[in-house]
């Protein structure tokens, strides 16, 4: 039935500050991210790669979508240069300060406006938000099935379902869900391709910008006013002061000193649950 | 404001989602009952657990022994294995009907899958992957500590108007409570309205490694890219000192070791007495996972490696020359 059907895949891309360049201002208890250089949220690059690989297999098209300030457009152009077909930036002052509730709502409205999305691919979590909840949120707003922590994505054309491996605590599962669906993928789950700079400099690459009015959203549902959570403060993460004692000599001498130093930790005892340490097996 | 499903005034009690696997409670569920009990005492309110599954009576008893005032049990064959649709529907209905003030879940893959979806269904706020929970003195609001930016920054987040105040909490943060021989709480069974066609997920395959729980390991020997794929000496040392083998994400992604052994932000947060960390550079993504270790030993051939900042004992050397000596000397110690 679906033999002729080709998927329209949307990829949600977020641009984030490089983590090592974000500083905490302890006086004002705010984050200084203004001077931090930006990058694609790492797993989102894997999300884009999955979408492009699926398009190679099943034809169809790939749209990239982002909610953020105007400078995100430059990054969306990079996504076009890597091979995405169309790019949309949801950008409006009203979207600012959004937590995951309005973020997932706004992205869902953008995806709905694309019209005919069969699959939405996201990253597992963002390095600045680190919530992993935007993808399930999008799925809920759109009433779509969801797969989180996914890898090995496949579209089963005869059944029009997505098949994916999904990480579990202490294991994994392989599941299928009907399309349309939202999937979030693990960082490093595939090997992203390089940017085709010919595409970047060749044809004019357009990014369509949609405002709150374009999406027809109620301003009270987006951005800061749509958010349910409030940041009460920020802090530098506490770091434990370590001894940092340098052990010197030959490898044997270092090992000997170390054994003396850590002898108390080597005392064998049963673990609290009484279980023996399980033997590690090589990963196939 | 996005209208919530119920108001602050209607909300009461602290709830914990009791994630289970094959009828056994996840460690983080017990940890949350422990912390939840303290918070409930502080707020002078009741602590409830919500337990879904197909045969979970024994798990419900454990939750009572762990200090719950009440365990709400929803049993159905279709709840035996976690699926987003079934769990969101059942938990969502119970929450809307009974209106908790605070709802805590473990930040496991399934806990986060459920929490993210449920928060939108309930139109409420969710603080994800907390490493600490407090109650605000003046308001009694839940304050969640969240690390961001690869572990360098902590934000304190609250949810002032929407209910329930939802949070997921990282496994291994709170100590599991003592189990009491004389539980006082009650089990309350709720009817489950669920038909198979409401569940879109089809589970084709499931593989779980029983018995491996890095968050409970007392000793850990962890390796990274510096092992170049050879975990042999690490395994030998681990076997000798009763340690679990752990790894960085790089080692896992390279396929050198199972994902269940990954330590760090997207792996497990461990709290061993001793962590011997070999051939690991010390990215914040990794070090958040060994921060709570009592003693950290780092072996790295690069004297500039950031891991040394986070180590009690610093060995600048090739791990392949240090580990064999170490193994020999530990052996000598044991036989001597
Ligand atoms: C969103 C996100 C989440 C992440 N989550 C995690 C996570 O949960 N856990 C995690 O670990 N990482 C995580 N990472 C990756 C993390 O940022 C680092 O890339 C990773 O921890 C580095 O692993 P490594 O130390 O093994 O490798 P490298 O950084 O390559 O370090 C290898 C080290 O080995 C040393 N070495 C080499 N040869 C030897 C030798 N013979 N003897 C001794 N030392 C030697 C080198 O000097 C070097 O310091 C995440 C990244 C992202 C973007
Ligand atoms: N502002 C945004 N624009 C586009 N995609 C986003 C945005 N925020 C989150 N996402 C997507 O949701 C994933 C998870 O993000 P988070 O829930 O913030 O951890 C990211 O990897 C992105 O794919």
């Amino acid at each position: 039935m679906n033999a002729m059907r080709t998927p329209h895949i949307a990829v949600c891309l977020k641009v984030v500050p490089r983590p090592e360049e974000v500083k905490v201002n302890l006086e004002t208890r705010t984050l200084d991210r203004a001077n931090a250089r930006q990058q694609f949220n790492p797993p989102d690059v894997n999300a884009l790669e999955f979408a492009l690989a699926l398009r190679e297999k099943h034809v169809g098209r790939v749209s990239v979508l982002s909610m953020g300030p105007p400078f995100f457009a430059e990054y969306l152009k990079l996504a076009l240069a890597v091979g995405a077909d169309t790019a949309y930036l949801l950008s409006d002052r009203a979207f600012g300060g959004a937590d995951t509730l309005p973020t997932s709502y706004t992205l869902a409205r953008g995806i709905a406006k694309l019209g005919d999305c069969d699959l939405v691919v996201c990253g597992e979590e963002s390095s600045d938000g680190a919530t992993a909840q935007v993808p399930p949120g999008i799925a809920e707003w759109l009433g779509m099935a969801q797969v989180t922590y996914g890898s090995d994505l496949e579209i089963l054309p005869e059944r029009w379902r997505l098949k994916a491996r999904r990480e579990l605590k202490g294991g994994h599962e392989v599941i299928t869900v009907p399309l349309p669906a939202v999937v979030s993928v693990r960082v490093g789950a595939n090997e992203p391709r390089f940017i085709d700079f010919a595409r970047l400099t060749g044809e004019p690459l357009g990014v369509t910008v949609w405002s709150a009015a374009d999406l027809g959203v109620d301003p009270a549902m987006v951005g800061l006013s749509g958010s349910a959570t409030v940041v009460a403060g920020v802090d530098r993460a506490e770091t434990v002061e370590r001894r940092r004692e340098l052990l010197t000599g030959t490898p044997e001498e270092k090992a000997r000193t170390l054994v003396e130093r850590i002898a108390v930790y080597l005392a064998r005892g049963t673990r609290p649950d009484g279980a023996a340490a399980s033997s590690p097996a090589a990963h196939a | 404001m996005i209208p919530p499903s119920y108001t602050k005034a209607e909300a009461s009690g602290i709830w914990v989602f009791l994630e289970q696997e094959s009828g056994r409670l996840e460690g983080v569920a017990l940890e949350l009952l422990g912390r939840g009990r303290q918070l409930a005492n502080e707020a002078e309110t009741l602590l409830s657990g919500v337990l879904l599954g197909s045969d979970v009576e024994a798990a419900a008893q454990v939750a009572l022994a762990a200090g719950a005032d009440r365990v709400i049990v929803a049993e159905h064959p279709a709840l035996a294995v976690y699926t987003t649709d079934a769990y969101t529907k059942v938990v969502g209905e119970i929450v809307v009907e009974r209106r908790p003030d605070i709802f805590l879940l473990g930040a496991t893959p399934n806990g986060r899958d459920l929490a993210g979806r449920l928060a939108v269904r309930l139109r409420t706020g969710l603080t994800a992957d907390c490493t600490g929970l407090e109650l605000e003195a003046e308001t009694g609001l839940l304050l969640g500590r969240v690390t961001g930016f690869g572990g360098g920054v902590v934000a304190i987040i609250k949810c002032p108007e929407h209910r329930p105040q939802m949070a997921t909490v990282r496994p291994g943060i709170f100590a599991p409570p003592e189990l009491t021989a004389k539980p006082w709480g009650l089990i309350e069974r709720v009817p489950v309205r669920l038909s198979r066609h409401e569940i879109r997920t089809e589970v084709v395959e499931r593989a779980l490694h029983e018995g491996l729980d890095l968050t409970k390991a007392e000793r850990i020997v962890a390796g990274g890219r510096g092992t170049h794929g050879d975990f042999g000496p690490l395994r030998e040392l681990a076997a000798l000192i009763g340690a679990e083998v752990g790894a960085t994400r790089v080692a896992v992604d390279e396929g050198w070791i199972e994902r269940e052994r990954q330590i760090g932000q997207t792996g497990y947060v461990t709290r061993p007495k001793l962590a011997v960390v070999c051939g690991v550079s010390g990215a914040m993504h990794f070090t958040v996972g060994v921060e709570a270790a009592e003693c950290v030993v780092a072996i790295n051939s690069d004297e500039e490696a950031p891991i040394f900042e986070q180590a009690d004992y610093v060995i600048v050397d090739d791990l392949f020359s240090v580990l064999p000596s170490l193994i020999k000397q530990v052996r000598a110690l044991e036989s001597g």
Side-chain angles (χ1 to χ4, degrees), chain A residues 48-235:
Chain A
L48 177 58
E49 177 57 38
F50 272 120
L52 295 173
L54 287 171
R55 186 189 62 189
E56 266 155 27
K57 192 150 177 210
H58 302 281
V59 193
R61 67 207 158 86
V62 172
S63 301
V64 292
L65 187 77
S66 198
M67 181 192 86
F71 82 83
F72 277 26
E74 293 311 309
Y75 288 83
L76 290 177
K77 284 183 188 166
L78 286 179
L80 290 169
V82 173
D85 298 291
T86 43
Y88 299 86
L89 176 60
L90 316 180
S91 194
D92 196 306
R93 292 195 91 92
F95 297 155
D99 71 2
T100 52
L101 188 61
T103 298
S104 59
Y105 174 69
T106 308
L107 288 167
R109 291 298 293 257
I111 291 159
K113 194 172 160 72
L114 291 179
D116 54 353
C117 270
D118 301 297
L119 180 63
V120 180
V121 193
C122 299
E124 59 177 309
E125 65 176 46
S126 57
S127 55
D128 57 345
T131 76
Q133 67 208 26
V134 166
I138 294 172
E140 174 66 14
W141 287 112
L142 295 172
M144 290 183 184
Q146 82 188 39
V147 179
T148 50
Y149 304 99
S151 58
D152 301 350
L153 309 191
E154 270 177 69
I155 289 175
L156 308 176
E158 23 358 292
R159 301 180 62 204
W160 206 237
R161 291 176 79 89
L162 173 76
K163 184 177 175 195
R165 176 190 159 111
R166 183 170 177 262
E167 297 308 322
L168 296 174
K169 180 171 176 294
H172 74 270
E173 63 184 1
V174 176
I175 62 178
T176 76
V177 293
L179 298 175
V182 178
V183 58
S184 74
V185 303
R186 306 230 354 157
V187 67
N190 54 22
E191 201 61 56
R193 65 195 63 192
F194 288 109
I195 294 175
D196 177 359
F197 283 98
R199 268 198 97 183
L200 191 59
T201 49
E203 54 195 291
L205 299 170
V207 175
T208 305
V209 181
W210 283 337
S211 66
D214 294 327
L215 293 181
V217 293
D218 175 353
M221 299 269 291
V222 298
L224 193 59
S225 40
S227 297
T229 58
V230 180
V231 179
V234 297
D235 226 331

Side-chain angles (χ1 to χ4, degrees), chain B residues 51-54 56 72-76 79 90 94 188 190 192:
Chain B
L51 179 58
L52 276 60
S54 79
V56 291
I72 302 169
V73 172
E75 282 185 321
H76 191 285
L79 296 172
V90 172
I94 299 174
E188 197 179 322
V190 295
V192 176

Side-chain angles (χ1 to χ4, degrees), chain B residues 52-293:
Chain B
L52 276 60
S54 79
D55 184 10
V56 291
E57 171 73 29
Q61 296 296 347
V62 174
L64 291 180
D69 295 305
R70 166 178 75 165
V71 178
I72 302 169
V73 172
E75 282 185 321
H76 191 285
L79 296 172
V81 165
Y82 175 82
T83 56
T84 310
D85 289 333
Y87 272 62
T88 312
K89 175 171 191 252
V90 172
V91 178
E93 286 174 359
I94 299 174
V95 167
V96 168
E97 207 178 290
R98 291 151 192 259
R99 317 194 160 176
D101 187 33
I102 290 175
F103 189 25
L104 309 174
L105 303 90
T108 58
N110 286 345
R112 293 178 85 181
D113 185 272
L114 171 65
R117 183 125 197 172
L118 199 56
V120 169
R121 185 159 304 177
L122 298 170
R123 305 287 190 265
T124 191
L126 166 59
T127 308
D129 207 20
C130 295
T131 56
L133 296 174
E134 306 287 335
L135 297 178
E136 194 172 52
E138 318 82 71
T139 60
L141 287 173
L142 181 72
L143 300 177
R145 278 179 84 79
V146 173
T147 39
F149 297 105
V153 177
V154 175
I156 318 284
I157 301 196
K158 60 184 176 184
C159 176
E161 300 300 328
H162 293 71
R163 293 295 177 274
Q165 305 166 72
M166 286 180 68
T168 58
V169 178
R170 235 183 241 183
I173 298 289
F174 298 120
E178 300 278 329
L179 299 185
T180 163
K182 292 203 180 83
W184 59 87
L186 296 172
I187 291 177
E188 197 179 322
R189 294 179 179 278
V190 295
V192 176
R193 287 171 299 269
L194 193 63
S195 72
R196 296 255 176 202
H197 73 258
E198 290 174 286
I199 304 172
R200 288 171 284 190
T201 303
E202 181 184 86
V203 179
V204 182
E205 177 194 320
R206 238 162 158 263
L208 295 168
H209 298 251
E210 290 278 340
L212 170 59
D213 187 351
L214 282 188
T215 67
K216 292 211 175 70
E218 284 201 2
R219 286 173 279 272
I220 288 180
V221 179
R225 198 199 303 276
T227 63
H228 303 284
D230 180 6
F231 270 73
L234 284 81
R235 291 200 172 106
E236 200 179 335
L237 177 65
L240 203 55
I241 64 173
E244 288 287 0
V245 174
T248 65
R249 180 147 195 165
V250 166
V252 169
D253 286 345
E254 289 289 342
W256 297 340
I257 195 155
E258 314 100 284
R259 196 159 289 286
E260 291 68 42
R261 296 190 184 272
Q262 184 187 315
I263 292 172
Q265 168 145 329
T266 46
Y268 293 105
V269 176
T270 68
R271 40 182 60 230
K273 289 188 184 148
L274 174 69
V276 182
V277 178
C278 317
V280 172
S281 61
M284 275 189 286
H285 288 122
F286 172 83
T287 54
V288 293
V290 289
E291 219 164 57

Side-chain angles (χ1 to χ4, degrees), chain A residues 32-56:
Chain A
D32 173 15
R33 52 206 278 180
N35 296 317
R37 279 177 302 156
Q38 310 282 324
Q39 63 179 16
F40 273 127
N41 182 43
D44 300 5
V45 183
N46 300 106
L48 177 58
E49 177 57 38
F50 272 120
L52 295 173
L54 287 171
R55 186 189 62 189
E56 266 155 27

